[in-house]
Amino acid sequence: MKPTRLTLTVTMILLLVGCATAQHDSAAYREPPPRAAERIPTLQQADQGPAAGNAIAQARYTDDDFWEQMRSGFDLPGAQQQAVQRQIGTYSRNPRQVEKIFERGTPYMAYILREVEKRGHPHEIALLPFVESAYDPFAYSHGRAAGLWQFIPGTAKLYGLEQDWWYDGRRDVIASTDAALDYLDQLHAEFEGDWLLALAAYNSGSGTVRAAIRRNERAGKPTDFWHLKLPSETASYVPRLLAISAIVGHPERYAVALAPVDPEPAFEVVDTRGQLDIGIAAELAGIDTEELYQFNPGFNRWATHPDGPHRLAIPSEKTEAFLQGLQELPAEQRLKWVRHDVKRGDTLSQIAQRYDTTIAVLRTTNRLQGSNIRIGQHLLVPVAAHDPEDYRASLAARQVRAQRSSGAVNHVVSTGESLWSIARRHGVQVNQIIRWNRLDSGGAIRPGQQLVLYGGAAAVPSGKQIRTIRYTVRNGDSLYGISRKYNVAVSDLRRWNDLPEGKYLQPGQRLKLYIDITDVAQNS
């Protein structure tokens, strides 16, 4: 039976973003190379033309054409390998999918290429996010890898990418690109200048690649990439990069239309000199907040991080207006503040939840040593300056929509109850209750306290940042263990996969999960 058009399309999509399952092996590395001080470059951009149709593939290229710049530095060998040719065939059968991914990468590609050129890396490296994340900074894998470069939490921490309530550096285009190139520098040196081995190690970890090399050495076999026995994901990972590079090299051969990309980066990196409300920043730049979040996907909330990074990527043509507006903005207007008068029964966690902030921010802002507050005390609280609708593109706003869609439940704590018993009763997780109610990390509760519960992910959250992943059950897996790993409820795992009570998981079984990457990032 011939495959249907739908089957081919689905297969192509999985292949294009398949490497999001990669597990970067941070445990195998010692010390990363010293990181350069944070750079604040001054970049400029001409107006971008609209995406064109397939006729672009036949267009002449000028000296300042981005794609010609990209091709000029291609240097990796192996394009004639059968594995690469197979991947070229897969991509070329679905040219529109290839075009869509490059269109998604338009805001980032020129910046990434410039950073790759600074390092003297082959230009194919600038196409690695095509394979890693399909140029989606919100991409998230079942291996807990996130961002354009798909860092898992351990490797991200090793390379200085912070992750907390305010910010996830794995999704920050500037920080993650710098970290990824640092990582590749180290791997390139570790494998004595062999880029294909370095790329394989980026996907599966250098320990995996070294073990494969040792096996071949003992067997008297060659130790180049093409002769190693590597995990199937890694064995196809390098060919996918070489294949898409070949298509970029000769798009007209494959009926792929590469839309024009300005060779100058699409944004400038501006020092904000402190925390700044995203809505106010967008207003100063004369753009909407959704566009600002597109260039700054690392920020989870309605404002930049209190402790930094104190910078924003601003569309180049808007930078001058932004800088002028920021200079004229009084310091007290960078954030909106409200005064909260403490009433009987108030706790810091309840106040933090009410104003969409954290206990730590309340403590710092009001110079509190602990969590004790008194009736009549005045607390200053930073809040979003604009209507919540203006922050719809933030991860936090998406999380709120997901919570509302699942229906809030108020639970009054009874004597003898614990977070564990409440979580079990309502089919949610303890860490979800802590997060929803801004509880201290110890999760202390008292009789009479009101908790808000949202039923986990009882409804599939709406919003463009939710990610659907497929999880393959391994030996020893349980629904409870999987639910804890991905911050979802066991009841939802059963519902999403039509699993009745009492039915056990089998190794190799495939599960569908709907992941809110804010939830996972905060607990990675």
Side-chain angles (χ1 to χ4, degrees):
M1 183 176 67
K2 292 183 178 180
T4 65
R5 186 175 181 179
L6 175 61
T7 302
L8 288 172
T9 301
V10 170
T11 302
M12 178 59 189
I13 292 170
L14 291 173
L15 285 169
L16 291 178
V17 299
C19 90
T21 62
Q23 299 273 341
H24 299 169
D25 176 15
S26 62
Y29 309 115
R30 296 180 293 278
E31 291 293 328
R35 295 177 57 81
E38 183 172 303
R39 297 184 292 275
I40 308 294
T42 300
L43 311 174
Q44 296 180 345
Q45 176 200 34
D47 290 337
Q48 294 185 8
N54 283 336
I56 298 170
Q58 307 299 329
R60 287 181 173 272
Y61 295 101
T62 61
D63 290 342
D64 62 350
D65 182 79
F66 168 80
W67 296 109
E68 276 300 314
Q69 290 186 21
M70 178 72 78
R71 297 181 193 101
S72 69
F74 283 174
D75 195 37
L76 296 184
Q80 300 307 315
Q81 293 286 334
Q82 286 187 355
V84 178
Q85 293 299 311
R86 285 195 297 270
Q87 295 294 340
I88 290 175
T90 301
Y91 287 144
S92 62
R93 285 192 294 271
N94 295 270
R96 185 55 190 145
Q97 290 294 335
V98 172
E99 293 163 6
K100 284 182 177 179
I101 290 176
F102 279 128
E103 288 166 9
R104 184 187 299 130
T106 299
Y108 319 117
M109 287 192 295
Y111 176 80
I112 292 172
L113 179 58
R114 176 169 289 190
E115 295 304 301
V116 166
E117 286 179 330
K118 288 179 182 177
R119 307 278 185 130
H121 292 174
H123 285 189
E124 289 94 338
I125 301 300
L127 297 176
L128 199 57
F130 182 103
V131 180
E132 281 286 351
S133 62
Y135 284 109
D136 180 1
F138 292 97
Y140 184 82
S141 81
H142 71 72
R144 297 191 300 162
L148 289 175
W149 299 90
Q150 289 290 282
F151 276 95
I152 62 171
T155 312
K157 185 175 182 181
L158 187 64
Y159 283 85
L161 297 177
E162 301 296 332
Q163 304 153 65
D164 61 20
W165 188 83
W166 289 97
Y167 169 80
D168 189 339
R170 297 177 299 171
R171 295 195 318 271
D172 184 314
V173 175
I174 301 157
S176 68
T177 297
D178 195 34
L181 298 182
D182 281 349
Y183 188 7
L184 286 163
D185 276 337
Q186 178 178 332
L187 293 172
H188 184 242
E190 181 176 347
F191 290 98
E192 299 178 349
D194 190 317
W195 272 113
L196 300 190
L197 293 179
L199 288 163
Y202 187 88
N203 177 259
S204 63
S206 65
T208 299
V209 177
R210 287 200 306 269
I213 290 173
R214 287 194 295 269
R215 284 195 299 269
N216 277 25
E217 286 175 340
R218 289 194 296 268
K221 296 179 180 180
T223 57
D224 61 284
F225 171 81
W226 304 109
H227 286 86
L228 297 182
K229 186 176 181 181
L230 293 164
S232 59
E233 164 61 30
T234 307
S236 62
Y237 176 83
V238 173
R240 282 201 294 270
L241 177 62
L242 297 178
I244 198 59
S245 301
I247 289 173
V248 169
H250 300 282
E252 69 284 351
R253 292 183 186 174
Y254 309 103
V256 171
L258 298 177
V261 176
D262 195 298
E264 294 295 324
F267 57 85
E268 294 189 29
V269 185
V270 177
D271 186 353
T272 62
R273 304 188 304 277
Q275 191 178 25
L276 183 63
D277 186 290
I278 296 292
I280 292 174
E283 199 172 64
L284 294 176
I287 59 177
D288 59 38
T289 54
E290 185 167 356
E291 183 177 0
L292 193 57
Y293 279 118
Q294 181 186 35
F295 286 104
N296 299 274
F299 293 112
N300 291 337
R301 304 289 160 176
W302 49 266
T304 62
H305 198 296
D307 302 324
H310 295 312
R311 55 162 166 72
L312 283 172
I314 304 294
S316 299
E317 68 274 13
K318 303 292 185 179
T319 302
E320 185 176 348
F322 176 82
L323 286 171
Q324 182 176 345
L326 185 64
Q327 185 174 358
E328 296 171 356
L329 184 71
E332 65 273 12
Q333 293 182 22
R334 287 171 157 265
L335 300 171
K336 180 181 177 181
W337 298 85
V338 299
R339 192 178 84 161
H340 178 86
D341 297 331
V342 177
K343 299 177 177 60
R344 184 179 300 277
D346 276 351
T347 65
L348 279 184
S349 64
Q350 291 171 334
I351 296 169
Q353 179 192 11
R354 174 177 174 180
Y355 294 106
D356 190 27
T357 188
T358 66
I359 293 173
V361 168
L362 292 178
R363 285 173 175 161
T364 301
T365 302
N366 295 277
R367 299 181 181 179
L368 302 176
Q369 297 300 315
S371 297
N372 293 327
I373 52 178
R374 64 181 186 278
I375 297 173
Q377 185 176 358
H378 305 306
L379 298 179
L380 281 177
V381 186
V383 296
H386 289 200
D387 187 278
E389 194 68 15
D390 290 341
Y391 304 90
R392 283 183 62 84
S394 74
L395 291 175
R398 196 187 70 263
Q399 184 182 30
V400 170
R401 292 197 299 276
Q403 292 171 348
R404 287 174 178 169
S405 71
S406 62
V409 175
N410 289 318
H411 177 90
V412 179
V413 178
S414 301
T415 302
E417 281 192 316
S418 66
L419 286 180
W420 183 85
S421 65
I422 295 169
R424 185 177 182 185
R425 175 178 173 183
H426 290 275
V428 297
Q429 297 182 43
V430 169
N431 58 4
Q432 289 177 311
I433 299 176
I434 291 174
R435 185 171 62 257
W436 291 333
N437 294 275
R438 304 290 191 267
L439 302 180
D440 289 323
S441 57
I445 55 176
R446 65 182 188 282
Q449 183 176 351
Q450 286 196 1
L451 301 175
V452 61
L453 310 173
Y454 294 99
V460 177
S462 61
K464 63 182 180 180
Q465 311 302 353
I466 293 300
R467 292 296 178 262
T468 303
I469 66 171
R470 298 282 180 174
Y471 181 85
T472 301
V473 176
R474 301 174 175 85
N475 285 326
D477 272 347
S478 66
L479 285 177
Y480 175 73
I482 296 170
S483 71
R484 289 199 64 183
K485 182 175 182 179
Y486 294 105
N487 278 350
V488 296
V490 170
S491 59
D492 292 322
L493 285 175
R494 292 192 181 281
R495 181 170 57 82
W496 293 333
N497 296 280
D498 296 323
L499 300 174
E501 292 282 348
K503 183 175 181 179
Y504 294 99
L505 299 178
Q506 300 297 324
Q509 184 175 353
R510 298 272 287 173
L511 300 179
K512 179 168 60 177
L513 292 81
Y514 297 96
I515 301 298
D516 182 331
I517 57 178
T518 303
D519 288 346
V520 180
Q522 289 176 194
N523 294 278
S524 295

